[in-house]
């Protein structure tokens, strides 16, 4: 039944709109490796020079589907400084859609303020919701025949397929001898699409690599359930068995701290260490995952550990051209930054 439903959802697979530059590089971090334990990084910060990170890969398929369905508007949601909403605004607008985003509060950091301002400069039509409880009603009002709804984080089946592609890209890099086959791939678990796609893709390629999913959102058991379900849906839609996927993912809850968007001491330490390797991290996502990767190396938990870097490293100035100053933001938008 599930299989049939999946097929019904995917009548024809439209070719992805190519947004990124692939393959993204893999590099060994020599200064952070230990005898018998190498730390590598997959540079998905470089997926696109205008705005990179993991959302670019997801949007390749999401935008293709929206187009195939004849949508004119993209309707999505996220936190005030959501990278997903920003990437959807930039690439959705470039593909000719208007982009509407329902935004919910997020702890105020300089990074979050920049993302929100960039979103507005890039043409997002923002609908501030002062709590998650208000989101469904606002969304319902925005949906309609010409709208394509993109779930939080872009973690639809189509979005996750972008990370199935990414896993296959890594498998090709391993086969080409660019890096040894990783035992562990450490990545942030936010809305689940990245983890799900990687786990399904590693399964598909028959790699030994397990995904260490570093949970940064609440409640962890819901997010983990969603990621696992999405990984199974990816495999089913590819006509593959889902039997092995549960053992592919190691869920790691210990790095969340006070919750989504809250900085942690271990994240701050990881950020300082990464800066010496010219990797910029953010408090919400990547600092927590990199902290977990460093601890796995310190404990020499595996021979080859790959930290999958998901944050854009593109300069923000061009995206902030013409952006409103924080003080000039609409009161309802300013109230999202708490
Ligand atoms: C969105 C995001 C993630 C989480 O990816 P999901 O697919 O939502 O789990 C991780 N890192 C960064 C920098 C992100 O923007």
């Amino acid at each position: 039944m599930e299989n049939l439903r999946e097929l019904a959802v995917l009548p024809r697979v439209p070719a992805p709109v190519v947004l990124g530059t692939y393959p993204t590089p893999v590099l060994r971090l020599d200064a952070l490796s230990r005898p018998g334990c190498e730390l590598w990084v997959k540079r998905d910060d470089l997926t696109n020079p205008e705005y990179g990170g993991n959302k670019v890969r997801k949007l390749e398929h999401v935008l293709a589907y929206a187009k195939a369905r004849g949508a004119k508007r993209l309707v999505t949601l996220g936190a005030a400084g959501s990278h997903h909403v920003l990437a959807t605004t930039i690439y959705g607008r470039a593909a000719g859609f208007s982009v509407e985003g329902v935004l919910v509060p997020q702890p105020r950091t300089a990074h979050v303020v920049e993302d929100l301002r960039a979103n507005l400069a890039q043409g997002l039509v923002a609908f501030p919701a002062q709590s998650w409880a208000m989101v469904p009603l606002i969304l319902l009002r925005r949906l309609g025949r010409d709208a394509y709804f993109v779930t939080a984080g872009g973690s639809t089946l189509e979005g996750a397929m972008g990370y199935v592609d990414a896993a296959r890209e890594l498998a090709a890099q391993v086969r080409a001898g660019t890096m040894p086959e990783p035992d562990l791939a450490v990545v942030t678990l936010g809305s689940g699409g990245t983890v799900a796609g990687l786990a399904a893709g590693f399964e598909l390629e028959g790699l030994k690599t397990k995904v260490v999913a570093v949970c940064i959102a609440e409640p962890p058991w819901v997010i983990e359930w969603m990621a696992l379900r999405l990984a199974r849906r990816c495999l089913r839609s590819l006509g593959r068995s889902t039997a092995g996927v549960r053992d592919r993912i190691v869920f790691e809850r210990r790095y969340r701290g006070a919750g989504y968007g809250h900085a942690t001491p271990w994240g701050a330490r990881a950020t300082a260490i990464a800066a010496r390797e010219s990797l910029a991290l953010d408090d919400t996502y990547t600092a927590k995952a990199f902290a977990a990767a460093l601890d796995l190396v310190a404990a020499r938990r595996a021979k080859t550990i790959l930290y999958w870097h998901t944050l854009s490293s593109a300069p923000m100035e061009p995206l902030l051209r013409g952006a409103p100053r924080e003080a000039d933001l609409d009161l309802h938008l300013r109230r999202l930054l708490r």
Side-chain angles (χ1 to χ4, degrees):
M1 263 323 277
E2 190 72 1
N3 261 327
L4 286 178
R5 211 166 65 211
E6 221 77 71
L7 287 174
V9 180
L10 303 171
R12 260 173 281 113
V13 179
V17 292
V18 180
L19 303 174
T21 314
Y22 307 116
T24 56
V26 284
L27 300 169
R28 190 174 58 213
L29 299 174
D30 289 328
L32 300 178
S33 294
R34 295 283 172 273
C37 180
E38 292 185 348
L39 179 61
W40 289 71
V41 57
K42 175 75 167 157
R43 295 287 307 267
D44 267 7
D45 56 309
L46 301 174
T47 46
N48 186 300
E50 189 189 352
Y51 186 73
N54 65 339
K55 303 307 182 296
V56 175
R57 290 192 192 265
K58 296 180 179 193
L59 283 169
E60 311 245 348
H61 293 272
V62 169
L63 295 183
Y65 266 83
K67 255 196 188 145
R69 296 200 174 175
K72 300 279 178 284
R73 285 184 298 131
L74 301 176
V75 177
T76 192
L77 70 156
S82 166
H83 298 145
H84 156 67
V85 175
L86 181 53
T88 305
T89 302
I90 295 168
Y91 297 112
R93 297 266 297 166
F97 296 99
S98 68
V99 181
E100 303 178 357
V102 180
L103 301 179
V104 296
Q106 181 170 9
R108 185 191 177 285
T109 66
H111 181 82
V112 167
V113 173
E114 261 194 356
D115 284 349
L116 176 59
R117 293 176 55 229
N119 249 317
L120 299 171
Q122 296 302 310
L124 175 74
V125 184
F127 295 88
Q130 297 307 327
S131 76
W132 276 101
M134 293 168 60
V135 170
L137 192 66
I138 304 177
L139 275 180
L140 274 175
R141 286 206 197 108
R142 301 312 311 161
L143 296 178
R145 283 170 64 86
D146 63 336
Y148 185 83
F149 175 62
V150 187
T151 50
S155 289
T156 59
L157 176 59
E158 298 83 51
M161 284 297 180
Y163 266 87
V164 172
D165 295 346
R168 307 191 77 173
E169 178 183 300
L170 180 75
Q173 287 173 312
V174 168
R175 279 195 299 271
T178 313
M179 79 167 287
E181 186 175 354
D183 302 290
L184 302 174
V186 184
V187 70
T188 311
L189 171 59
S191 62
T194 305
V195 165
L198 286 179
F202 292 154
E203 191 76 8
L204 194 68
E205 290 287 332
L207 292 185
K208 66 178 175 186
T209 314
K210 290 193 180 193
V211 182
V212 179
V214 183
C215 194
I216 55 83
E218 308 290 328
W221 67 271
V222 173
I223 314 274
E224 292 168 5
W225 179 82
M226 280 168 40
L228 201 50
R229 176 170 174 272
L230 193 50
R232 293 197 173 108
R233 289 179 66 206
C234 287
L235 285 166
R236 269 196 297 270
S237 75
L238 294 162
R240 296 303 178 101
S241 161
T242 63
V245 79
R246 177 63 194 85
D247 292 334
R248 280 266 163 203
I249 310 178
V250 182
F251 291 110
E252 175 53 80
R253 296 181 179 179
R254 290 173 294 179
Y255 291 84
R256 286 159 27 241
Y260 183 82
H262 290 277
T264 58
W266 47 92
R269 175 178 167 272
T271 300
I273 293 170
R276 299 206 290 267
E277 306 300 308
S278 305
L279 277 182
L281 306 182
D282 73 301
D283 293 329
T284 302
Y285 296 102
T286 51
K288 291 172 182 177
F290 197 66
L294 290 176
D295 286 348
L296 288 167
V297 174
R300 291 185 175 63
R301 281 290 289 279
K303 206 158 155 274
T304 308
I305 296 176
L306 176 66
Y307 161 68
W308 205 298
H309 193 38
T310 47
L311 177 71
S312 174
S313 56
M316 287 299 285
E317 296 88 58
L319 299 173
L320 285 164
R321 227 163 266 152
R325 295 181 313 157
E326 186 184 2
D328 294 337
L329 289 178
D330 173 276
L331 176 65
H332 297 289
L333 285 173
R334 240 182 311 146
R335 280 182 53 206
L336 296 175
L337 308 168
R338 295 177 178 175

mmCIF file with all atom_site columns, all heavy atoms in Angstrom, residues 134-147:
data_model
loop_
_atom_site.group_PDB
_atom_site.id
_atom_site.type_symbol
_atom_site.label_atom_id
_atom_site.label_alt_id
_atom_site.label_comp_id
_atom_site.label_asym_id
_atom_site.label_entity_id
_atom_site.label_seq_id
_atom_site.pdbx_PDB_ins_code
_atom_site.Cartn_x
_atom_site.Cartn_y
_atom_site.Cartn_z
_atom_site.occupancy
_atom_site.B_iso_or_equiv
_atom_site.pdbx_formal_charge
_atom_site.auth_seq_id
_atom_site.auth_comp_id
_atom_site.auth_asym_id
_atom_site.auth_atom_id
_atom_site.pdbx_PDB_model_num
ATOM 1   N N   . MET A 1 134 ? 0.092  29.337 16.233  1.00 0.00 ? 134 MET A N   1
ATOM 2   C CA  . MET A 1 134 ? -0.582 30.174 15.232  1.00 0.00 ? 134 MET A CA  1
ATOM 3   C C   . MET A 1 134 ? -0.276 29.747 13.794  1.00 0.00 ? 134 MET A C   1
ATOM 4   O O   . MET A 1 134 ? -0.936 30.204 12.856  1.00 0.00 ? 134 MET A O   1
ATOM 5   C CB  . MET A 1 134 ? -0.146 31.640 15.404  1.00 0.00 ? 134 MET A CB  1
ATOM 6   C CG  . MET A 1 134 ? -0.624 32.277 16.684  1.00 0.00 ? 134 MET A CG  1
ATOM 7   S SD  . MET A 1 134 ? 0.228  33.853 16.943  1.00 0.00 ? 134 MET A SD  1
ATOM 8   C CE  . MET A 1 134 ? -0.286 34.745 15.459  1.00 0.00 ? 134 MET A CE  1
ATOM 9   N N   . VAL A 1 135 ? 0.728  28.902 13.639  1.00 0.00 ? 135 VAL A N   1
ATOM 10  C CA  . VAL A 1 135 ? 1.236  28.590 12.297  1.00 0.00 ? 135 VAL A CA  1
ATOM 11  C C   . VAL A 1 135 ? 0.189  27.941 11.385  1.00 0.00 ? 135 VAL A C   1
ATOM 12  O O   . VAL A 1 135 ? -0.009 28.392 10.245  1.00 0.00 ? 135 VAL A O   1
ATOM 13  C CB  . VAL A 1 135 ? 2.524  27.735 12.385  1.00 0.00 ? 135 VAL A CB  1
ATOM 14  C CG1 . VAL A 1 135 ? 2.933  27.208 11.018  1.00 0.00 ? 135 VAL A CG1 1
ATOM 15  C CG2 . VAL A 1 135 ? 3.648  28.558 13.005  1.00 0.00 ? 135 VAL A CG2 1
ATOM 16  N N   . PRO A 1 136 ? -0.535 26.909 11.852  1.00 0.00 ? 136 PRO A N   1
ATOM 17  C CA  . PRO A 1 136 ? -1.459 26.229 10.928  1.00 0.00 ? 136 PRO A CA  1
ATOM 18  C C   . PRO A 1 136 ? -2.500 27.170 10.322  1.00 0.00 ? 136 PRO A C   1
ATOM 19  O O   . PRO A 1 136 ? -2.778 27.100 9.116   1.00 0.00 ? 136 PRO A O   1
ATOM 20  C CB  . PRO A 1 136 ? -2.126 25.168 11.819  1.00 0.00 ? 136 PRO A CB  1
ATOM 21  C CG  . PRO A 1 136 ? -1.166 24.947 12.933  1.00 0.00 ? 136 PRO A CG  1
ATOM 22  C CD  . PRO A 1 136 ? -0.480 26.254 13.167  1.00 0.00 ? 136 PRO A CD  1
ATOM 23  N N   . LEU A 1 137 ? -3.021 28.062 11.145  1.00 0.00 ? 137 LEU A N   1
ATOM 24  C CA  . LEU A 1 137 ? -4.065 28.967 10.644  1.00 0.00 ? 137 LEU A CA  1
ATOM 25  C C   . LEU A 1 137 ? -3.507 29.898 9.569   1.00 0.00 ? 137 LEU A C   1
ATOM 26  O O   . LEU A 1 137 ? -4.128 30.097 8.514   1.00 0.00 ? 137 LEU A O   1
ATOM 27  C CB  . LEU A 1 137 ? -4.632 29.779 11.816  1.00 0.00 ? 137 LEU A CB  1
ATOM 28  C CG  . LEU A 1 137 ? -5.906 30.539 11.481  1.00 0.00 ? 137 LEU A CG  1
ATOM 29  C CD1 . LEU A 1 137 ? -7.041 29.555 11.196  1.00 0.00 ? 137 LEU A CD1 1
ATOM 30  C CD2 . LEU A 1 137 ? -6.298 31.481 12.615  1.00 0.00 ? 137 LEU A CD2 1
ATOM 31  N N   . ILE A 1 138 ? -2.335 30.449 9.824   1.00 0.00 ? 138 ILE A N   1
ATOM 32  C CA  . ILE A 1 138 ? -1.725 31.351 8.835   1.00 0.00 ? 138 ILE A CA  1
ATOM 33  C C   . ILE A 1 138 ? -1.419 30.583 7.548   1.00 0.00 ? 138 ILE A C   1
ATOM 34  O O   . ILE A 1 138 ? -1.686 31.063 6.450   1.00 0.00 ? 138 ILE A O   1
ATOM 35  C CB  . ILE A 1 138 ? -0.434 31.995 9.399   1.00 0.00 ? 138 ILE A CB  1
ATOM 36  C CG1 . ILE A 1 138 ? -0.712 32.725 10.716  1.00 0.00 ? 138 ILE A CG1 1
ATOM 37  C CG2 . ILE A 1 138 ? 0.169  32.966 8.384   1.00 0.00 ? 138 ILE A CG2 1
ATOM 38  C CD1 . ILE A 1 138 ? 0.512  33.316 11.382  1.00 0.00 ? 138 ILE A CD1 1
ATOM 39  N N   . LEU A 1 139 ? -0.908 29.371 7.718   1.00 0.00 ? 139 LEU A N   1
ATOM 40  C CA  . LEU A 1 139 ? -0.575 28.559 6.536   1.00 0.00 ? 139 LEU A CA  1
ATOM 41  C C   . LEU A 1 139 ? -1.820 28.271 5.705   1.00 0.00 ? 139 LEU A C   1
ATOM 42  O O   . LEU A 1 139 ? -1.809 28.415 4.485   1.00 0.00 ? 139 LEU A O   1
ATOM 43  C CB  . LEU A 1 139 ? 0.054  27.229 6.971   1.00 0.00 ? 139 LEU A CB  1
ATOM 44  C CG  . LEU A 1 139 ? 1.554  27.239 7.235   1.00 0.00 ? 139 LEU A CG  1
ATOM 45  C CD1 . LEU A 1 139 ? 1.999  25.849 7.652   1.00 0.00 ? 139 LEU A CD1 1
ATOM 46  C CD2 . LEU A 1 139 ? 2.329  27.699 6.005   1.00 0.00 ? 139 LEU A CD2 1
ATOM 47  N N   . LEU A 1 140 ? -2.883 27.870 6.399   1.00 0.00 ? 140 LEU A N   1
ATOM 48  C CA  . LEU A 1 140 ? -4.116 27.521 5.682   1.00 0.00 ? 140 LEU A CA  1
ATOM 49  C C   . LEU A 1 140 ? -4.593 28.671 4.816   1.00 0.00 ? 140 LEU A C   1
ATOM 50  O O   . LEU A 1 140 ? -5.061 28.471 3.701   1.00 0.00 ? 140 LEU A O   1
ATOM 51  C CB  . LEU A 1 140 ? -5.204 27.132 6.682   1.00 0.00 ? 140 LEU A CB  1
ATOM 52  C CG  . LEU A 1 140 ? -5.181 25.666 7.091   1.00 0.00 ? 140 LEU A CG  1
ATOM 53  C CD1 . LEU A 1 140 ? -6.215 25.401 8.174   1.00 0.00 ? 140 LEU A CD1 1
ATOM 54  C CD2 . LEU A 1 140 ? -5.427 24.770 5.876   1.00 0.00 ? 140 LEU A CD2 1
ATOM 55  N N   . ARG A 1 141 ? -4.430 29.883 5.336   1.00 0.00 ? 141 ARG A N   1
ATOM 56  C CA  . ARG A 1 141 ? -4.869 31.058 4.579   1.00 0.00 ? 141 ARG A CA  1
ATOM 57  C C   . ARG A 1 141 ? -4.010 31.275 3.338   1.00 0.00 ? 141 ARG A C   1
ATOM 58  O O   . ARG A 1 141 ? -4.461 31.876 2.370   1.00 0.00 ? 141 ARG A O   1
ATOM 59  C CB  . ARG A 1 141 ? -4.775 32.313 5.454   1.00 0.00 ? 141 ARG A CB  1
ATOM 60  C CG  . ARG A 1 141 ? -5.843 32.393 6.506   1.00 0.00 ? 141 ARG A CG  1
ATOM 61  C CD  . ARG A 1 141 ? -6.096 33.861 6.891   1.00 0.00 ? 141 ARG A CD  1
ATOM 62  N NE  . ARG A 1 141 ? -6.807 33.919 8.150   1.00 0.00 ? 141 ARG A NE  1
ATOM 63  C CZ  . ARG A 1 141 ? -6.266 34.300 9.297   1.00 0.00 ? 141 ARG A CZ  1
ATOM 64  N NH1 . ARG A 1 141 ? -4.998 34.706 9.336   1.00 0.00 ? 141 ARG A NH1 1
ATOM 65  N NH2 . ARG A 1 141 ? -6.967 34.297 10.403  1.00 0.00 ? 141 ARG A NH2 1
ATOM 66  N N   . ARG A 1 142 ? -2.756 30.834 3.381   1.00 0.00 ? 142 ARG A N   1
ATOM 67  C CA  . ARG A 1 142 ? -1.844 31.092 2.263   1.00 0.00 ? 142 ARG A CA  1
ATOM 68  C C   . ARG A 1 142 ? -1.886 29.998 1.199   1.00 0.00 ? 142 ARG A C   1
ATOM 69  O O   . ARG A 1 142 ? -1.416 30.213 0.090   1.00 0.00 ? 142 ARG A O   1
ATOM 70  C CB  . ARG A 1 142 ? -0.389 31.243 2.768   1.00 0.00 ? 142 ARG A CB  1
ATOM 71  C CG  . ARG A 1 142 ? -0.152 32.360 3.776   1.00 0.00 ? 142 ARG A CG  1
ATOM 72  C CD  . ARG A 1 142 ? -0.753 33.677 3.363   1.00 0.00 ? 142 ARG A CD  1
ATOM 73  N NE  . ARG A 1 142 ? -0.435 34.080 2.005   1.00 0.00 ? 142 ARG A NE  1
ATOM 74  C CZ  . ARG A 1 142 ? -1.116 34.987 1.321   1.00 0.00 ? 142 ARG A CZ  1
ATOM 75  N NH1 . ARG A 1 142 ? -2.169 35.582 1.850   1.00 0.00 ? 142 ARG A NH1 1
ATOM 76  N NH2 . ARG A 1 142 ? -0.757 35.298 0.089   1.00 0.00 ? 142 ARG A NH2 1
ATOM 77  N N   . LEU A 1 143 ? -2.356 28.803 1.568   1.00 0.00 ? 143 LEU A N   1
ATOM 78  C CA  . LEU A 1 143 ? -2.359 27.710 0.600   1.00 0.00 ? 143 LEU A CA  1
ATOM 79  C C   . LEU A 1 143 ? -3.446 27.939 -0.437  1.00 0.00 ? 143 LEU A C   1
ATOM 80  O O   . LEU A 1 143 ? -4.381 28.689 -0.217  1.00 0.00 ? 143 LEU A O   1
ATOM 81  C CB  . LEU A 1 143 ? -2.541 26.376 1.316   1.00 0.00 ? 143 LEU A CB  1
ATOM 82  C CG  . LEU A 1 143 ? -1.375 26.049 2.262   1.00 0.00 ? 143 LEU A CG  1
ATOM 83  C CD1 . LEU A 1 143 ? -1.622 24.733 2.991   1.00 0.00 ? 143 LEU A CD1 1
ATOM 84  C CD2 . LEU A 1 143 ? -0.056 26.008 1.516   1.00 0.00 ? 143 LEU A CD2 1
ATOM 85  N N   . GLY A 1 144 ? -3.288 27.308 -1.585  1.00 0.00 ? 144 GLY A N   1
ATOM 86  C CA  . GLY A 1 144 ? -4.274 27.480 -2.648  1.00 0.00 ? 144 GLY A CA  1
ATOM 87  C C   . GLY A 1 144 ? -3.768 26.802 -3.889  1.00 0.00 ? 144 GLY A C   1
ATOM 88  O O   . GLY A 1 144 ? -2.693 26.208 -3.892  1.00 0.00 ? 144 GLY A O   1
ATOM 89  N N   . ARG A 1 145 ? -4.559 26.896 -4.953  1.00 0.00 ? 145 ARG A N   1
ATOM 90  C CA  . ARG A 1 145 ? -4.237 26.150 -6.179  1.00 0.00 ? 145 ARG A CA  1
ATOM 91  C C   . ARG A 1 145 ? -2.881 26.493 -6.776  1.00 0.00 ? 145 ARG A C   1
ATOM 92  O O   . ARG A 1 145 ? -2.221 25.636 -7.345  1.00 0.00 ? 145 ARG A O   1
ATOM 93  C CB  . ARG A 1 145 ? -5.316 26.428 -7.231  1.00 0.00 ? 145 ARG A CB  1
ATOM 94  C CG  . ARG A 1 145 ? -6.596 25.676 -6.984  1.00 0.00 ? 145 ARG A CG  1
ATOM 95  C CD  . ARG A 1 145 ? -7.698 26.186 -7.903  1.00 0.00 ? 145 ARG A CD  1
ATOM 96  N NE  . ARG A 1 145 ? -7.387 25.924 -9.317  1.00 0.00 ? 145 ARG A NE  1
ATOM 97  C CZ  . ARG A 1 145 ? -7.674 24.779 -9.933  1.00 0.00 ? 145 ARG A CZ  1
ATOM 98  N NH1 . ARG A 1 145 ? -8.272 23.817 -9.287  1.00 0.00 ? 145 ARG A NH1 1
ATOM 99  N NH2 . ARG A 1 145 ? -7.394 24.623 -11.207 1.00 0.00 ? 145 ARG A NH2 1
ATOM 100 N N   . ASP A 1 146 ? -2.489 27.752 -6.671  1.00 0.00 ? 146 ASP A N   1
ATOM 101 C CA  . ASP A 1 146 ? -1.226 28.146 -7.311  1.00 0.00 ? 146 ASP A CA  1
ATOM 102 C C   . ASP A 1 146 ? -0.039 28.031 -6.358  1.00 0.00 ? 146 ASP A C   1
ATOM 103 O O   . ASP A 1 146 ? 1.062  28.438 -6.682  1.00 0.00 ? 146 ASP A O   1
ATOM 104 C CB  . ASP A 1 146 ? -1.333 29.584 -7.837  1.00 0.00 ? 146 ASP A CB  1
ATOM 105 C CG  . ASP A 1 146 ? -1.564 30.581 -6.706  1.00 0.00 ? 146 ASP A CG  1
ATOM 106 O OD1 . ASP A 1 146 ? -2.090 30.161 -5.644  1.00 0.00 ? 146 ASP A OD1 1
ATOM 107 O OD2 . ASP A 1 146 ? -1.206 31.756 -6.869  1.00 0.00 ? 146 ASP A OD2 1
ATOM 108 N N   . ALA A 1 147 ? -0.289 27.471 -5.150  1.00 0.00 ? 147 ALA A N   1
ATOM 109 C CA  . ALA A 1 147 ? 0.780  27.415 -4.140  1.00 0.00 ? 147 ALA A CA  1
ATOM 110 C C   . ALA A 1 147 ? 1.343  26.007 -4.015  1.00 0.00 ? 147 ALA A C   1
ATOM 111 O O   . ALA A 1 147 ? 0.619  25.017 -4.128  1.00 0.00 ? 147 ALA A O   1
ATOM 112 C CB  . ALA A 1 147 ? 0.236  27.864 -2.789  1.00 0.00 ? 147 ALA A CB  1
#
